């Protein structure tokens, strides 16, 4: 396995509530663009579904198509992710969706995670081929 690591920034974030619950609980959908640097160089188009609790914390699930370079080779791949938001920091785990790699990233397999608060960092342990 090879490890890619680096940081990302939010290029855009549009979140809308689609179901209100009691006491401030709600379900939302966020359409997000992320710019990656480091081992991954490129942009991700993300859809996150979030379940907010009355205290403002949340659980989320999502899919992200990353387009760019992974330590040199170029193409795209999809990451499936789940995580928790504690009200300040989001932490998640992700894995490459089997068969989603394109271009020089065809056959990509791997998993990792991210943490996003004041700064956003990620890791991806992967194999190509």
């Amino acid at each position: 396995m090879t490890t890619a690591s680096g940081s990302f920034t939010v290029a855009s974030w549009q979140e809308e509530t689609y179901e209100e619950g009691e006491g401030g609980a709600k379900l939302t959908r966020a359409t997000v663009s992320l710019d990656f640097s480091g081992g991954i160089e490129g942009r991700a188009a993300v859809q996150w579904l979030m379940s907010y609790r009355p205290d403002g914390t949340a659980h989320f699930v999502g899919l992200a198509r990353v387009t760019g370079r992974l330590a040199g080779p170029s193409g795209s791949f999809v990451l499936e992710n789940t995580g928790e938001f504690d009200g300040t920091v989001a932490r998640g785990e992700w894995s490459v969706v089997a068969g989603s790699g394109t271009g020089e990233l065809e056959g990509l397999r791997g998993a990792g995670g991210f943490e996003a608060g004041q700064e956003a960092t990620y890791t991806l342990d992967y194999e190509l081929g």
Side-chain angles (χ1 to χ4, degrees), residues 55-69:
D55 67 0
T57 63
H59 177 77
F60 59 87
V61 297
L63 293 171
R65 177 174 299 282
V66 179
T67 303
R69 296 190 172 280

Side-chain angles (χ1 to χ4, degrees), residues 12 15 27 38 40 50-51 66 74 95-96 100 106 109 120 122 129:
S12 68
E15 186 174 347
L27 298 176
I40 299 171
M50 293 172 281
S51 174
V66 179
S74 66
S95 59
V96 176
S100 68
E106 190 172 337
R109 296 178 308 284
Y122 69 86

Side-chain angles (χ1 to χ4, degrees), residues 76-100:
S76 69
F77 56 94
V78 175
L79 293 170
E80 175 181 33
N81 59 76
T82 62
E84 294 291 324
F85 174 64
D86 67 10
T88 304
V89 177
R91 291 177 182 86
E93 297 179 353
W94 54 27
S95 59
V96 176
V97 173
S100 68

Side-chain angles (χ1 to χ4, degrees), residues 8-9 88-90 115-121:
F8 63 90
T9 58
T88 304
V89 177
E115 183 172 306
Q118 291 282 344
E119 297 179 2
T121 59

